Amino acid sequence: MSLTRLSPAECDEGLARLPAWSLADDGLAITRRFLFSDFAEAFAFMTRVAILAEKADHHPEWFNVWNRVDIRLTTHDAGGLSRRDLALASAIDRFAG
């Protein structure tokens, strides 16, 4: 998958297909907060995402507190958003239900 940084128009187009995700303030990443019923459910979600990310060789930046998981996706090698981020976000959304 491409490691080329997306243009602003491509970012807008990609985010239109990912309505639960937001462009980060720096414009270099997309973010989403996930809320679960408890820590075990949040951790199970993180485990599923970790396996998916490892297979894709594209790893999220994330933060977890109890039932909350905040995810930030960016492609460091591209200097910002790439198609890899959009693809991983779409795959993560399938786990979120």
Side-chain angles (χ1 to χ4, degrees):
M1 186 152 310
S2 174
L3 292 181
T4 304
R5 185 173 173 175
L6 297 177
S7 70
E10 290 170 320
C11 289
D12 290 344
E13 180 183 309
L15 282 171
R17 293 189 308 269
L18 298 165
W21 292 80
S22 301
L23 188 63
D25 290 340
D26 63 9
L28 301 176
I30 53 175
T31 63
R32 181 170 175 194
R33 173 168 286 175
F34 297 86
L35 297 174
F36 301 94
S37 62
D38 57 26
F39 178 74
E41 190 177 317
F43 195 85
F45 167 77
M46 291 177 69
T47 300
R48 289 189 302 271
V49 171
I51 293 167
L52 176 72
E54 189 65 18
K55 287 179 182 177
D57 193 29
H58 190 55
H59 306 93
E61 298 172 13
W62 55 14
F63 181 76
N64 165 245
V65 173
W66 189 59
N67 71 333
R68 185 181 84 219
V69 178
D70 295 322
I71 298 181
R72 176 182 166 96
L73 299 175
T74 189
T75 303
H76 298 287
D77 291 342
L81 281 174
S82 75
R83 297 211 181 280
R84 293 180 80 181
D85 301 305
L86 301 178
L88 186 54
S90 179
I92 290 170
D93 281 353
R94 289 192 293 273
F95 289 141

